[in-house]
Amino acid sequence: SGQGSLPFTIVTGTNVLWYTAPTGGTGDAVMPVVSTAVPGTFTWYASQTNATGCESDRVAVTAIVRQTPTADFIQTIGYACNDDTVHFQNLSTDATTYLWDFNDGFIDTAANPSHVYASQNTYYVKLKAYNQYCTDSVSKPVVINHPLIAAFNTSADTLCVGSTVTFTNTSTATNIYNTAPSYYWNFADGTTSTLQNPTHTYSGPGTYNVMMVVKNGVPCTDTTYRLIYI
């Protein structure tokens, strides 16, 4: 169904007339075209006429239009810190068997598979849906891209006692499960903060190894350090 129709091939006979019934009716010299809009069995009847005007018996000509499956799917991503699991829900119709290509060297024939991706990327997953006679396929992108990289800058790294340091968060993090990233700072002098871009004043001289941790909604964390000289 839906596939372009090919014309009939006349093996023998000339002056062919086409009928829609085995008897009666008026013949048409124009070859019929099979409508493939819907599946079904369609029959015409052909005859030939010789030079003296005698018409032969009619021969039944049958065309069968098979139901074509429709391939379709949606996916749900289960995020993790290292390996993400994608759950595929098969929405195909009129199909009995399936072939999935996950675009990372792996395939599956389950109706509703789950697949673990070892690295973040955009994968173009292809689903082929088959029945006894026909096939259909669809390809959709599966975007697994949630980098988590802790990083920050400081207004200065060498200051005098009593001066204020401004910390600017430059981390790479995305919302996961509708949860915004969170942050934790340890200024190495017994004080901490959970602000995204805090400021801090050191009351005594020394070398302070400032730690910043970024956490997403999985949750996963990444940590970075930077020295401050007072």
Side-chain angles (χ1 to χ4, degrees), residues 103-119:
N103 194 213
D104 65 346
F106 292 91
I107 61 174
D108 202 325
T109 57
N112 297 284
S114 295
H115 184 65
V116 177
Y117 285 97
S119 59

Side-chain angles (χ1 to χ4, degrees), residues 24 29 34 37 42 49 60-61 65 74 81 102 105 113 118 122 124 130 134 141 146 151 171 191 205 218 223:
V34 181
F42 305 92
T49 304
V61 181
V65 179
I74 57 176
C81 298
F102 299 120
T122 297
Y124 290 88
Y130 302 85
C134 305
H146 53 99
S171 300
T191 59
V218 173
T223 304

Side-chain angles (χ1 to χ4, degrees), residues 154-166:
T154 60
S155 56
D157 60 7
T158 304
L159 304 96
C160 297
V161 171
S163 298
T164 298
V165 185
T166 299

Side-chain angles (χ1 to χ4, degrees), residues 158-206:
T158 304
L159 304 96
C160 297
V161 171
S163 298
T164 298
V165 185
T166 299
F167 296 90
T168 302
N169 194 332
T170 60
S171 300
T172 301
T174 55
N175 288 13
I176 300 293
Y177 298 131
N178 295 319
T179 300
S182 61
Y183 306 95
Y184 172 79
W185 301 80
N186 188 323
F187 300 115
D189 64 349
T191 59
T192 62
S193 175
T194 57
L195 296 176
Q196 183 172 352
N197 297 289
T199 59
H200 186 65
T201 301
Y202 286 93
S203 59

Side-chain angles (χ1 to χ4, degrees), residues 78-84 118 120 146 148 216 218-221:
Y79 293 100
C81 298
N82 295 312
D83 301 325
D84 297 298
Q120 297 181 31
H146 53 99
L148 186 65
N216 63 19
V218 173
C220 305
T221 61

